Every structure is written in C-alpha cells, then in structure tokens.
Amino acid sequence: MSNYNLTHIKELEAEAIYILREVFAQFENPAILFSGGKDSICVAHLARKAFFPSKIPFPFVHVDTGHNFPETMDFRNKYVEELGVKLIVGSVQKSIDDGAAAEEKGKNANRNAIQTVTLLDTIEEHGFDACIGGARRDEEKARAKERFFSHRDEFGQWDPKNQRPELWNIFNGRCHQGEHFRVFPLSNWTEMDVWQYILSENIALPSLYFAHERQVIRRSNTWLPVSDYIQIGDNEEIVTKKIRFRTLGDITITGGDESDADTLEKIVDEVASARQTERGNREDDKRSETSMEDRKKQGYF
Amino acid sequence: MANKKHDNNSYLDMELLRFTTAGSVDDGKSTLIGRLLYDSKSIFEDQLDQVAKSSERKGLEHTDLALLTDGLKDEREQGITIDVAYRYFATPKRKFIIADTPGHIQYTRNMVTGASTANCALLLVDARKGVIEQTQRHSIIASLLQIPHVVVCVNKMDLVDHSQEVFEKIKEDYEAFASKLEVKDVRFIPISALNGDNVVNRSENMPWYEGSTLLYTLENIHIGSDHNHIDCRFPVQTVIRPKNDKYHDYRGYAGRIASGVFKPGDEVTVVPSGFSSKIKSIDTFNGEVEEAFAPMSVSIQLEDDIDVGRGDMIVRTNNKPEPMQDIEAMICWLNPQGPKPRAKYLLRHTTAEAKTMIKEISYKLDISTLHRNEKDKDITANDICKMKLRTTKPLLADSYKKNRITGSLILVDEATNETVAAGMIV
Ligand SMILES: Nc1nc2c(ncn2[C@@H]2O[C@H](COP(=O)(O)OP(=O)(O)O)[C@@H](O)[C@H]2O)c(=O)[nH]1
C-alpha cells in the first residue's frame, strides 16, 4: 500500500494544479498576479504544469510600484517572453499622476498601501473575475484564514468574518457581476516547501534571492538596499554587505539578510535554520500588529 | 556536505498529515497548538516576540502560547477563535496541516469544514470535566465526516494530580459512548498542554502512562490507506487542447484522481455517456506515468475520440458508480438562512453540477445524542439532518462511506451564490 503514497511536496503540487485547473474551468477571465517574487514564480511554474502541453491560459498582471529592483524587472520580462504569455502592467505612478492615489510623505514613506488602488483599478479595467496570487497561509496570521477561493465584493474588499466555507475539494467560484475572487494555490505551502520545490524542480529565480554584495543602510533592524527611491538620513551610513533577500517587494521596503547562501542548496539549509519569519524584514508588516489584516480587508494582495 | 544533501533529500520524503482540533472553549486547544508549534521548534523569534508583547499588554505574567494561534483582530479583541484557521509545522518525518476550529456550539460548520479534509481529529477533553456534551458532539461530527483517526487528548492532567484513575475513567466513558459511532481508530493520551507533558516530550509526572506522546502519535499514525485505492474514479476538470503544430491532435482530460489506481491500457468507461475506451497515456509535465493514484493531478488521453468534458467521470468499466437522481444525504446546513420547503439549489458534486430540489427532510440529528428527531424539521445554520434531494440530471456518485470525494456534495444558493450546505451521500 505504501507504494501509493505521495510525498508532501508532490501532494501540495497536485493540490495547486487542481486549484489552477478549477480556476480555468470556473471563471471567464482569470489572471495571475505576478510580482517576480519566488511565490508567484512558483505559481507560474505550476500553471505551466497544469495545462501542459498548452501554454498558460492566463495573462500575468504586474502591479508596478515604480520602485523596482532592476533585477526583478529583467527577470519578469524574460520569463514572460519565454512562456509566451501576455503581460499587463498596472502602474502605481500612473494612479498617483491621475490623482487616484496619494503618495505617502516622510522618511519611511513607501508605496505599499497605495498599490491596492492600482491593483483594484487594473482588475476593474480588464474585468478580471479571478486573480491568482502566490500568498501562503503561513506568511502572516491574517492570511492563515484565507480560503483557496477568496471572495471580494464589488469594492474589492475582503470580509474575513463572512467567508464561504470550503469543504473537501469542491470550490465555489460563483460571483455576481463586478465581484471577483482571489485564488491562492499555494495556501498550504510554507516558505520551506516553496524553497524545497524550487530546488527539486530547479526553477530559475531572480539573482536577488542569492547572496550578493550590495550597498545597504541599517534601518529598522534590517539591511535596506540603497536606491534612488529612499532618503538616507544624516546619521545613516552606506556600507557594502553580502546579503540576500528572502522576499522581494518594493525596493524601498524590502530588507535583506546577511548571508553566504549563493546556491539553492545553501538557501534551503539557511531557511531550515532561520529563526525569523521571512516577512520579519518587511517594513509594511511592522507598522502594527494587524497591518496585514487591515490592508487585506481593503483589497490588498 | 554529504550530510546536508541527505537532509535535503529526507525532507523530500516526508508525508503530509492533515488534522483538525476540537474542544470546548477553555479546554486548552490554543495552548496545545501553541505548545506543539513551540516544542517542535516551528515558531520564529519575531512571532514569539509579538506574542510576548501581546501577553505583556494583557498583563499576563507568562508568555501565553495560545496567542500564537489567534488569527484575526476581532478575535484578538474578543479573545476567541471565530473561524477555521490553518497552521503548519513540520518534523523530519511529516509535514502537518492543522485546521484549527473553534469550540462553540454555533460553529459546527467550522468543524465540519476542517474535518472534511482531515486524516485525523484531536479531541480535547478537560480532565476535570470528563466527557461532556461537546465531546460527544465533536465525536459525532468526526464520525459523520469519516475522519479515519481520532486522538482524544485528556488535558489539564496537572489539575487532577496526574491521576491515572481520572484518565482511565474518561477513557471508559468515551469508549462506551463511541461504540455507537463509526470511528475506526481511537487513541487516548493524558497531557498537560500548559506544562508540555506528553505533548512533544514524555511526562515525568505520569510514569503510569506507557503510550506515545501526542507528537510521536501524529508522526506515526498509518495514513497510507486513508485514500481509497480500489474504486477508480477520475472526475474531469477540463480538456487540454493545445491546437499547435507539435500537439495538433492532443486531447488530454485534466483532473485529479479521486480514488483507485489508473494505468495505461486500462479499460475505462466515461460516465454518464457510457462510452468505453482504453487509456492511451497518463501525462504530466514531467512525462508519462506508469500509474496514477489519488490524489495525483494528471491528464489522461484515451484511445478513441469520444466526447468528454467537465463534469464527466472516467471510471473502470467493471466498477462504475451508480447514476442517482434521488439522493439521500446527511446534510450539514451552513447558512443562517435555512432551507425553504421545496427550495431549489445548485448542487455541486466533484466537477459536475445539477439543479436540485429538497424533496424531504427526513429527520434532524441531535448531534449530542444521535437522536433522530422526525418532528422538528426547522433547519438552520449548524444543524445536521437527513435529506432527500431530487436532481435534474443523474449524479455519478458513491456513498460517502466508500469514497469521501465522490460521495460528497455542496449546495449553492443561486441568488446569493453562497455555499449553504455540505452533504454526505448515504
Ligand atoms: N492548568 C492547566 N491549564 C491549562 C492547560 N491547558 C490550557 N490551560 C489554561 O486554560 C485556559 C484556556 O486555554 P486556551 O488554550 O485559551 O483554551 P481554548 O479556548 O480551548 O483555546 C488558559 O488559561 C490556559 O492557560 C493545562 O494543561 N493545565
């Protein structure tokens, strides 16, 4: 009987592929939210597997804060071309220029919160009824309650207290005009699962995930990359460190860790012994204990 | 380096165990989960810092591990868990998914939800209170949902002087009650979630207990036969047709094996149409496979060009599910709005759907006593009842007892699109 056991990684893969196929079958106009980070790259890889030998039947949507790591953008452009999928870019800069969103002020200003405006506008403009994201329940405590198929009302808002129950493997993606779903095929994956999967599938990633030398400043207990988009205070010193990033987001808020892990094997070992969550270095989550939940209710990723 | 390589590989050999937790408020469920996560070293420093800070703000003397599992703001404010939350941890042997469900009476639906995918249920019993109505309720749900393994954790043993007598009495009471149920595998463990006795580490306070700790139990329960590997069922999700030059005639039926083992060359029938063919190949991105079993996601190609689409099921020709249009099911009602008489709903079963009408509510089940009430048919959220449904077209279904995937269904209200009920076919 034990022949008929899947390893946990294979079972998670099978589950994610099942979810992606359900999205294709149940929705008219789905898209993949593609940030160029490892989780969305995993989703893309799984989508490739789910529909093989067809191409991925969803366009990619990138919400561009304008404050990107150049490495992420290069990776994104090459990857999209290789897969032959359509790329739709929602520009936060444009939302600001149009007056739909207002830029934060001050030293720790960032564009994290206002991404939601651009995201929701892009969804509305293209009429997407399902947006597939790479969020995982282990990332953050508000995410721990997300459904695989997570309903959003006509304002794009999440109502955590009134979610549809999900039983067995039957998913209900029915919605009214103007509403949409966020779908999370990696719900049951942990950071470690994602890295193990990347290693076992040999999935290509942006170079930022691997240890490299970079100019950084020390701020809020993390190494923040020096870029044109951050203001450096008088008492802040620019130093060069060997770091790597555990998550990739907006360059102004994504801190790196000192590390020598420059191969996937070394990263897996590092993740296995990590004592901090990967979001521990995200300025956006540190603002208050419920900042993720508050943003998610508004319609954030 | 050789060693590290081994670590990476052994991680890839792990199995997945999904379990659900149930208990009344204050039985210590959150503390137990916090303890499992903490003692298995699955807690990160920043998470622990956050919990330490919250504990301080609340004026607690010690770090309250229960706070680790409190998900949303509203709950943190009210100090209760209100919905299903999922937790993850891993040991070198297994990866665990916990569906953490609240213990209130009104939240039967949450436990049913968590139980629907679980291999194992942890039931908490307060050693001072013993088997109470809530325990029976949770056990009945575990039995209805056919959770293969149940572990009864008798908690707060520190408050009853770690007494063997108390433990044995609770075990006896539970066994007497559970003999009426269909739970196949029940185990009992005396624990103290607060102090960590018999959770991850063996208790020095209960030398009389010779069984395994909770974590050891979770790591070693045999889950290999939890899936049905006998009746071959493959519900088709969608059809893959690349229509490019290289794969011009490719037509793959994409889906996840619900049960059974499929191999190329197998004689199969597509239901409901009844056309028969043979499996030409079972494809994945990584190439063809020699056999496919639950819960693998694959694409199946057939030898013959027959019309197959979403909602159809590929089965073995000599073992077909029964087409049924009059369905009897145990229904757990999930929505505050109860069913209207002869109301119509959309029924979803595997990848198929059909309109359905509630023909009759046979009885309401008292889930504390198993009493069947044939008079009270007033159904609302969290009620469990037996219903007769009539569908507009036949479903290809098995009984839930035989098959948790092809024996389960949900009802959707077409006006609100909400999932209003979950059903297990009798
Ligand atoms: N003495 C003792 N107290 C416990 C034990 N487990 C939990 N508690 C306490 O019981 C109370 C309720 O626990 P909690 O985990 O919040 O219960 P829940 O409502 O089931 O999640 C808290 O004050 C815990 O500290 C135990 O094993 N022994």
Side-chain angles (χ1 to χ4, degrees), chain A residues 138-140 191 219-223 246-247 253-257 275-287, chain B residues 44-47 49-50:
Chain A
D138 83 318
E139 272 180 80
E140 213 283 336
E191 184 190 15
R219 190 184 284 177
S220 310
N221 274 325
T222 180
W223 295 109
R246 282 175 79 185
T247 69
I253 52 168
T254 307
D257 290 307
R275 298 307 307 142
Q276 295 271 329
T277 61
E278 57 182 334
R279 296 193 75 93
N281 276 345
R282 293 280 290 253
E283 197 51 48
D284 41 332
D285 292 340
K286 284 193 197 156
R287 291 198 170 172
Chain B
F44 294 100
E45 279 167 7
D46 48 329
Q47 291 173 315
D49 282 353
Q50 242 182 22

Coordinates of all heavy atoms in Angstrom, one line a residue, chain A residues 138-140 191 219-223 246-247 253-257 275-287, chain B residues 44-47 49-50:
Chain A
D138 N 0.9 30.5 5.8 CA 1.9 30.5 6.9 C 2.7 31.9 7.0 O 3.4 32.1 7.9 CB 3.0 29.4 6.7 CG 4.1 29.8 5.7 OD1 3.8 30.4 4.7 OD2 5.2 29.5 6.0
E139 N 2.4 32.8 6.0 CA 3.2 34.0 5.9 C 2.8 34.9 7.1 O 3.7 35.7 7.5 CB 2.8 34.8 4.7 CG 3.6 34.4 3.5 CD 3.1 35.3 2.3 OE1 3.4 36.4 2.2 OE2 2.3 34.7 1.5
E140 N 1.6 35.0 7.5 CA 1.1 36.0 8.3 C -0.2 35.6 8.9 O -0.9 34.9 8.3 CB 0.9 37.3 7.4 CG 1.2 38.6 8.1 CD 0.0 39.0 9.0 OE1 -1.1 38.6 8.8 OE2 0.3 39.8 9.9
E191 N 7.1 28.5 3.6 CA 8.3 29.0 3.0 C 9.3 27.9 2.6 O 9.9 27.8 1.5 CB 9.0 30.0 3.9 CG 10.2 30.7 3.2 CD 11.1 31.5 4.2 OE1 11.0 31.4 5.4 OE2 11.9 32.3 3.7
R219 N 18.5 50.0 8.8 CA 17.3 50.7 9.3 C 16.3 49.6 9.8 O 16.1 48.6 9.1 CB 16.7 51.5 8.1 CG 15.6 52.4 8.5 CD 14.9 53.2 7.4 NE 15.8 54.2 6.8 CZ 15.4 55.0 5.8 NH1 14.3 54.7 5.1 NH2 16.2 55.9 5.3
S220 N 15.7 49.9 10.9 CA 14.7 49.0 11.5 C 15.2 47.6 11.5 O 14.5 46.7 11.1 CB 13.3 49.1 10.8 OG 12.9 50.4 10.6
N221 N 16.4 47.4 12.0 CA 16.9 46.0 12.2 C 17.1 45.2 10.9 O 17.0 44.0 10.9 CB 16.0 45.2 13.1 CG 16.4 45.4 14.5 OD1 17.5 45.6 14.8 ND2 15.4 45.5 15.4
T222 N 17.2 45.9 9.8 CA 17.4 45.2 8.5 C 18.3 46.0 7.6 O 18.6 47.1 7.9 CB 16.1 44.9 7.8 OG1 16.3 44.1 6.7 CG2 15.3 46.1 7.5
W223 N 18.9 45.3 6.6 CA 19.7 46.0 5.6 C 18.9 46.4 4.5 O 18.4 45.6 3.7 CB 20.8 45.0 5.2 CG 21.8 44.7 6.3 CD1 21.9 43.5 6.9 CD2 22.8 45.5 6.9 NE1 22.9 43.5 7.9 CE2 23.4 44.8 7.9 CE3 23.1 46.9 6.7 CZ2 24.4 45.3 8.7 CZ3 24.1 47.4 7.6 CH2 24.8 46.7 8.5
R246 N 14.9 37.5 1.3 CA 14.0 36.3 1.5 C 12.7 36.5 0.8 O 12.0 35.6 0.4 CB 13.8 36.0 3.0 CG 15.0 35.3 3.6 CD 14.8 35.2 5.1 NE 14.0 34.1 5.4 CZ 13.6 33.8 6.7 NH1 14.0 34.6 7.7 NH2 12.8 32.8 7.0
T247 N 12.3 37.8 0.6 CA 11.1 38.1 -0.2 C 11.5 39.2 -1.0 O 12.4 40.0 -0.7 CB 9.9 38.5 0.7 OG1 10.2 39.8 1.3 CG2 9.6 37.5 1.8
I253 N 11.2 49.1 0.7 CA 10.8 48.4 2.0 C 11.2 47.0 2.2 O 10.9 46.4 3.1 CB 9.2 48.4 2.1 CG1 8.6 47.8 0.9 CG2 8.7 49.8 2.4 CD1 7.1 47.5 1.1
T254 N 12.0 46.5 1.2 CA 12.4 45.1 1.3 C 13.8 45.0 1.8 O 14.7 45.4 1.1 CB 12.3 44.4 -0.1 OG1 11.0 44.6 -0.6 CG2 12.6 43.0 0.0
G255 N 13.9 44.5 3.0 CA 15.3 44.4 3.6 C 15.9 43.1 3.3 O 15.2 42.1 3.1
G256 N 17.2 43.1 3.3 CA 18.0 41.8 3.1 C 18.6 41.3 4.4 O 18.6 42.0 5.4
D257 N 19.0 40.1 4.3 CA 19.7 39.4 5.5 C 21.2 39.2 5.0 O 21.4 38.8 3.9 CB 19.1 38.1 5.8 CG 17.8 38.2 6.4 OD1 17.6 38.9 7.4 OD2 16.8 37.6 5.9
R275 N 15.6 31.7 12.2 CA 14.9 32.0 13.4 C 13.9 33.2 13.3 O 13.3 33.6 14.2 CB 15.8 32.3 14.6 CG 16.8 31.2 14.9 CD 16.1 29.8 15.2 NE 15.1 29.9 16.2 CZ 13.9 29.3 16.2 NH1 13.6 28.5 15.1 NH2 13.0 29.4 17.1
Q276 N 13.8 33.7 12.1 CA 12.9 34.8 11.9 C 12.0 34.5 10.7 O 12.4 33.8 9.8 CB 13.7 36.1 11.5 CG 14.6 36.7 12.5 CD 13.8 37.7 13.4 OE1 12.9 38.4 13.0 NE2 14.2 37.8 14.7
T277 N 10.7 34.9 10.7 CA 9.9 34.7 9.6 C 10.4 35.6 8.4 O 11.1 36.6 8.6 CB 8.4 35.1 9.8 OG1 8.4 36.5 10.1 CG2 7.8 34.3 11.0
E278 N 10.0 35.1 7.2 CA 10.6 35.9 6.1 C 10.0 37.3 6.0 O 10.6 38.2 5.5 CB 10.3 35.1 4.8 CG 8.8 34.9 4.5 CD 8.6 34.1 3.3 OE1 9.4 34.2 2.3 OE2 7.6 33.4 3.2
R279 N 8.8 37.5 6.5 CA 8.2 38.8 6.5 C 8.7 39.7 7.6 O 8.4 40.9 7.7 CB 6.7 38.8 6.5 CG 6.1 38.1 5.2 CD 4.7 38.3 5.1 NE 4.4 39.7 4.6 CZ 4.2 40.0 3.3 NH1 4.4 39.1 2.4 NH2 3.9 41.3 3.0
G280 N 9.6 39.1 8.5 CA 10.1 39.9 9.6 C 10.9 41.1 9.1 O 11.0 42.1 9.9
N281 N 11.3 41.1 7.9 CA 12.1 42.2 7.4 C 11.3 43.1 6.5 O 11.8 43.9 5.8 CB 13.3 41.7 6.6 CG 14.5 41.4 7.5 OD1 14.5 41.8 8.6 ND2 15.4 40.7 7.0
R282 N 10.0 43.0 6.5 CA 9.1 43.8 5.7 C 8.6 45.0 6.5 O 7.9 44.8 7.4 CB 8.0 43.0 5.1 CG 8.4 41.9 4.1 CD 8.7 42.5 2.7 NE 7.5 42.9 2.1 CZ 7.0 42.3 1.0 NH1 7.5 41.2 0.6 NH2 5.9 42.7 0.5
E283 N 9.0 46.2 6.1 CA 8.6 47.4 6.8 C 7.1 47.5 6.9 O 6.5 47.9 7.9 CB 9.2 48.6 6.1 CG 9.3 49.8 7.0 CD 9.9 49.6 8.3 OE1 11.0 49.0 8.4 OE2 9.3 50.0 9.3
D284 N 6.4 47.0 5.8 CA 5.0 47.2 5.7 C 4.3 46.4 6.8 O 3.2 46.8 7.3 CB 4.5 46.8 4.3 CG 5.1 45.6 3.8 OD1 6.3 45.3 4.1 OD2 4.5 44.9 2.9
D285 N 4.8 45.3 7.2 CA 4.1 44.5 8.2 C 4.4 44.9 9.7 O 3.8 44.4 10.6 CB 4.5 43.0 8.1 CG 4.0 42.4 6.8 OD1 3.1 43.0 6.3 OD2 4.6 41.4 6.3
K286 N 5.4 45.8 9.8 CA 5.9 46.1 11.2 C 5.0 47.3 11.7 O 5.2 47.6 12.9 CB 7.3 46.5 11.2 CG 8.3 45.4 11.0 CD 9.7 45.8 11.4 CE 10.7 44.8 10.9 NZ 12.0 45.5 10.7
R287 N 4.3 47.9 10.9 CA 3.6 49.1 11.3 C 2.7 48.9 12.5 O 2.6 49.6 13.5 CB 2.8 49.8 10.2 CG 3.8 50.3 9.2 CD 3.2 51.3 8.3 NE 4.3 52.0 7.5 CZ 4.1 52.8 6.5 NH1 2.9 53.1 6.2 NH2 5.1 53.3 5.9
Chain B
F44 N 9.0 31.2 15.0 CA 10.1 32.1 14.7 C 10.2 33.1 15.8 O 9.3 33.4 16.5 CB 9.9 32.7 13.4 CG 10.0 31.8 12.2 CD1 8.8 31.3 11.6 CD2 11.2 31.4 11.7 CE1 8.9 30.4 10.6 CE2 11.3 30.5 10.7 CZ 10.1 30.0 10.1
E45 N 11.4 33.7 16.0 CA 11.7 34.7 17.0 C 10.7 35.9 16.9 O 10.2 36.3 17.9 CB 13.1 35.2 17.0 CG 14.1 34.2 17.6 CD 15.5 34.6 17.3 OE1 15.8 35.6 16.7 OE2 16.4 33.8 17.7
D46 N 10.5 36.4 15.7 CA 9.7 37.6 15.6 C 8.2 37.2 16.0 O 7.5 38.1 16.6 CB 9.8 38.3 14.3 CG 9.6 37.3 13.1 OD1 10.0 36.2 13.2 OD2 9.1 37.8 12.0
Q47 N 7.8 36.0 15.7 CA 6.4 35.6 16.1 C 6.3 35.5 17.7 O 5.4 36.0 18.3 CB 6.1 34.2 15.6 CG 5.9 34.2 14.1 CD 5.7 32.8 13.5 OE1 6.4 31.9 13.9 NE2 4.7 32.7 12.6
D49 N 8.3 37.1 19.8 CA 8.3 38.5 20.3 C 7.0 39.1 20.3 O 6.6 39.7 21.3 CB 9.2 39.3 19.4 CG 10.7 39.1 19.7 OD1 11.0 38.3 20.6 OD2 11.5 39.6 18.9
Q50 N 6.3 39.0 19.2 CA 4.9 39.6 19.1 C 4.0 39.0 20.2 O 3.3 39.8 20.8 CB 4.3 39.2 17.7 CG 4.1 40.4 16.9 CD 3.4 40.0 15.5 OE1 2.8 38.9 15.4 NE2 3.6 40.8 14.6

